[in-house]
Amino acid sequence: MKGLLYTIAILLCMVLAGCSNDTRDYDGMDYTVTITLDNTLRHDSATLLVLEEEYNQLRECGKAGQKDGVFTFTGQTDKPKVALIRWDNDSTQPFHFVLENGDIHITLKPTAWSVTGSKSNAEYLRYVNDRNAIMDCRVATWQEYLKMAGDSSLTRDDEMRMARQDSLLNDSLQRITVERINRKDAVGRIIRERYGKQLDQEHMRMLD
């Protein structure tokens, strides 16, 4: 139990310490977004769209065809903005990220993604990794429960212990989501869009 509490504390500290607002000077800067697809992903063209928060509308910023599995977009933005890549195949989920000036390199695989050259996207990826770590702990707890239930070694004390573990992990997951959304930046906007509906009523009331 102490080990679990220590793990949760470390994850929370990582999220709180790793997030900060980007205050760089954007005058005279451009962006280049390079997206490299894993060879198992098939797309011939892609469209870059950004969310204009003042109007709550998506604006198209460009289209690109793939060359050897690579898409490139260039332009300029006045601040970090929620962006998405819409693929030629409408059945494929768009890829969300933060568009900001600089050289952004995104690598997409079927079950993972990575980014370099972007502070905001590094923060977003950090949140996703922390979230996945907590989810892995919850899965491990559930698998332990099923194993013990299957071999009839499960006791009432075991059930209560694992229920407490799952409750603590769920609370940690919800808290890091609320904390990141409440920063009210482009990263928080994406997290709210993708994960906000998974908050329970108690944590939903914590949103600013």
Side-chain angles (χ1 to χ4, degrees), residues 30-34 48 61-64 72-76 99 102-103:
D30 299 320
Y31 65 76
T32 299
V33 180
T34 305
L48 171 64
C61 290
K63 295 184 178 180
T72 303
F73 298 92
T74 58
Q76 188 177 73
L99 181 66
D103 293 323

Side-chain angles (χ1 to χ4, degrees), residues 86-177:
R86 182 176 292 165
W87 308 105
D88 51 1
N89 184 348
D90 290 338
S91 64
T92 303
Q93 286 285 344
F95 175 73
H96 292 76
F97 71 107
V98 178
L99 181 66
E100 58 186 340
N101 291 329
D103 293 323
I104 302 175
H105 298 270
I106 300 171
T107 301
L108 299 180
K109 298 181 180 181
T111 58
W113 61 276
S114 62
V115 61
T116 59
S118 168
K119 181 178 179 180
S120 295
N121 287 294
E123 291 180 3
Y124 176 37
L125 181 58
R126 185 182 299 112
Y127 165 83
V128 171
N129 289 337
D130 291 342
R131 180 184 181 85
N132 289 341
I134 295 174
M135 292 299 296
D136 288 344
C137 288
R138 296 190 73 183
V139 169
T141 300
W142 178 241
Q143 289 175 339
E144 181 186 4
Y145 174 86
L146 292 178
K147 180 180 181 300
M148 296 180 71
D151 61 20
S152 301
S153 63
L154 186 68
T155 66
R156 178 59 179 164
D157 286 344
D158 291 327
E159 286 187 291
M160 294 177 63
R161 172 179 60 82
M162 284 184 266
R164 287 195 299 269
Q165 287 181 358
D166 188 69
S167 178
L168 285 169
L169 289 166
N170 181 59
D171 183 68
S172 297
L173 181 62
Q174 303 251 333
R175 284 182 178 275
I176 67 170
T177 301

Side-chain angles (χ1 to χ4, degrees), residues 175-193:
R175 284 182 178 275
I176 67 170
T177 301
V178 168
E179 192 280 332
R180 199 58 192 81
I181 290 174
N182 281 343
R183 290 181 180 270
K184 298 185 180 301
D185 56 8
V187 177
R189 184 70 180 260
I190 294 177
I191 292 172
R192 183 165 196 152
E193 176 69 23

Side-chain angles (χ1 to χ4, degrees), residues 6-49:
Y6 179 77
T7 300
I8 292 172
I10 291 297
L11 288 170
L12 286 172
C13 288
M14 288 170 61
V15 173
L16 295 172
C19 300
S20 60
N21 292 327
D22 190 350
T23 57
R24 74 182 70 182
D25 183 0
Y26 265 51
D27 291 342
M29 295 183 66
D30 299 320
Y31 65 76
T32 299
V33 180
T34 305
I35 304 174
T36 303
L37 298 184
D38 184 86
N39 56 18
T40 61
L41 300 175
R42 305 292 183 184
H43 296 292
D44 293 324
S45 62
T47 303
L48 171 64
L49 302 107

